[in-house]
Amino acid sequence: MDFEFPDDGDDGLRRMLSGEQPHDRWMRLALDEARAAAEEDEVPVGAVVVAAGRVIASAHNQREQLADPTAHAEMIALTQAAAHLGSWRLEGCTLYVTLEPCPMCAGAILQARVPTVVWGAADPKAGAVASLYRLFEDARLNHRVEHVGGVLAEQCGHILTDFFRGKRGPSSRE
């Protein structure tokens, strides 16, 4: 007997039956953005902002394309989300990003009052959430950010590894 998923907009049952975790759906969209970055020869990092169960912003790295050192996926997505909401306060939003945010992005996330960040691959060289720094948990700051790391980490990490391996050439090794 075949089972049809109800078309009621609630995909909770679909997730339970497919084994998909709650954040996987949105992280897959961030991965799509990361792939778009790679196609543009940008470091493949993607981000989406979700509010009330809907994507309100999506972006990928564009530093090379825009010649802008601040054009990280998170920064662009935060700007888009603020424009969509008409407010710099992104309360009630969740940011999904394929790579652990760097200090610049973590600072912007704190300033935007984003309550929750879900990230994929850890960044041992620049991660400001868990790897090098723990900005989201710093008691000296007036805002805290809940965070979940390692969501689809393998896929998020592979896209970066493949990109940089391609930059180094076929004879390179990790």
Side-chain angles (χ1 to χ4, degrees), residues 40-60:
E40 296 170 9
D41 204 29
E42 297 277 357
V43 174
V45 176
V48 297
V49 178
V50 175
R54 291 183 35 237
V55 173
I56 61 167
S58 62
H60 55 269

Side-chain angles (χ1 to χ4, degrees), residues 90-174:
L90 301 183
E91 298 161 342
C93 294
T94 300
L95 171 67
Y96 291 84
V97 61
T98 58
L99 181 65
E100 177 184 0
C102 71
M104 174 183 67
C105 294
I109 290 162
L110 285 158
Q111 291 297 316
R113 306 298 192 263
V114 175
T116 308
V117 172
V118 179
W119 49 276
D123 186 350
K125 294 182 180 180
V129 179
S131 296
L132 290 179
Y133 307 103
R134 296 185 177 274
L135 290 181
F136 291 169
E137 299 165 11
D138 193 321
R140 297 169 294 179
L141 301 172
N142 68 343
H143 181 66
R144 306 288 174 285
V145 177
E146 295 293 323
H147 58 92
V148 177
V151 174
L152 300 182
E154 190 172 318
Q155 295 96 314
C156 293
H158 278 303
I159 193 168
L160 287 158
T161 301
D162 292 347
F163 177 80
F164 287 114
R165 186 175 290 138
K167 290 289 183 195
R168 289 189 300 265
S171 64
S172 66
R173 292 183 176 193
E174 285 194 274

